[in-house]
Amino acid sequence: MTAVIEVAGLDKSYRTEAGDVAVLHQVGLRIDQGEFVAVMGPSGSGKSTFMNILGCLDRPSGGSYRLTGRPVAELDRDALAQLRNQTIGFVFQGFNLLPRATLEDNVALPLVYAGVGRHERRQRARALLERVGLGRYAQSRPNQISGGQQQRVAIARALVGQPRLILADEPTGNLDSKTSEEVMALFCQLNDEGITIVLVTHEHDIAAYAKRLVRFLDGRIVEDHPVLPRSWPPC
């Protein structure tokens, strides 16, 4: 199997007026292409810091991180931004859509930074809005659709760059149970197509959609095992 994520001996600490605060301690993890991993842990366990490092939004204080085989620490800011744009799709709890832009423009935004032409941007954005069931709302604004629909737009935006990896941070945190099931069913479809998914959640029923569970506590991985097959959820 090809590794998408490889971390070894990962440490992270932050400097404060009271001294250094250690958040991650000697974390090691490998995630292969096509895996679906749920990351869990209580508040302050280090899981969000870990996800920020995986997303190249923060750098570790020690240890190594290779993303699709490339050593992240050796990349300058421009190379890191390019790798992130080409490899990772982000989905957040808060949707993070531009309120004054149309849904089509929101989905197409990563392609602007990638230098893709306007015609192709529109085509790819519309195709993904169709895929998530929102093609007819392409010219609508985010405040004209529901929260669940906004999250589907966010997923379409994450996919528009054709990433190998999706990092989802509490993607169902603002959704009701029925809408959460619909969003998670979409993640399952994407994983079935070979996209690697790493998802942070506090909800056990959401984690049950994944195929592997990694649990953090006090900045360390304390569990890492397959999720047992079951008749529910629909994945």
Side-chain angles (χ1 to χ4, degrees):
M1 295 290 289
T2 302
V4 176
I5 290 168
E6 293 176 280
V7 299
L10 207 67
D11 294 316
K12 180 63 182 180
S13 59
Y14 294 99
R15 182 157 295 177
T16 70
E17 292 182 358
D20 288 352
V21 176
V23 181
L24 296 176
H25 310 273
Q26 292 293 297
V27 173
L29 187 68
R30 172 181 168 131
I31 298 175
D32 287 332
Q33 182 68 40
E35 288 202 79
F36 190 164
V37 181
V39 178
M40 300 191 76
S43 296
S45 63
K47 63 185 186 301
S48 293
T49 298
F50 181 65
M51 287 287 279
N52 285 338
I53 291 172
L54 293 188
C56 303
L57 302 173
D58 199 358
R59 290 185 181 267
S61 304
S64 65
Y65 173 30
R66 300 179 74 91
L67 177 60
T68 61
R70 299 185 66 181
V72 170
E74 297 178 8
L75 303 178
D76 62 23
R77 181 179 299 179
D78 290 341
L80 195 61
Q82 183 180 39
L83 178 63
R84 184 170 57 233
N85 186 273
Q86 292 175 345
T87 307
I88 305 173
F90 294 93
V91 181
F92 301 99
Q93 177 177 348
F95 316 141
N96 291 355
L97 301 178
L98 299 176
R100 296 185 180 181
T102 65
L103 303 189
E104 180 183 296
D105 288 340
N106 268 284
V107 172
L109 185 61
L111 300 180
V112 175
Y113 300 119
V116 176
R118 185 171 183 271
H119 179 69
E120 184 178 348
R121 292 200 308 264
R122 292 187 63 182
Q123 281 190 321
R124 286 165 65 172
R126 282 181 174 271
L128 282 165
L129 284 170
E130 289 287 349
R131 167 153 194 187
V132 300
L134 295 172
R136 61 185 174 142
Y137 297 105
Q139 298 307 310
S140 299
R141 301 303 195 271
N143 66 356
Q144 297 173 311
I145 59 175
S146 70
Q149 289 172 321
Q150 288 185 55
Q151 190 60 292
R152 282 190 272 160
V153 173
I155 293 171
R157 180 185 57 196
L159 293 172
V160 77
Q162 300 171 336
R164 296 176 59 182
L165 169 67
I166 290 180
L167 298 179
D169 190 359
E170 299 283 359
T172 61
N174 288 334
L175 307 178
D176 60 59
S177 58
K178 182 178 183 300
T179 307
S180 295
E181 291 177 11
E182 293 173 354
V183 167
M184 292 309 301
L186 179 55
F187 278 124
C188 289
Q189 292 173 19
L190 298 173
N191 182 243
D192 288 342
E193 294 169 10
I195 295 177
T196 306
I197 297 175
V198 182
L199 177 148
V200 166
T201 183
H202 284 94
E203 303 169 86
H204 290 278
D205 56 339
I206 296 301
Y209 282 84
K211 299 173 183 176
R212 177 180 173 190
L213 174 65
V214 172
R215 191 182 303 274
F216 276 78
L217 182 65
D218 298 331
R220 304 179 190 274
I221 292 177
V222 295
E223 288 184 47
D224 182 359
H225 57 77
V227 175
L228 296 177
R230 53 189 295 182
S231 59
W232 185 92
C235 296

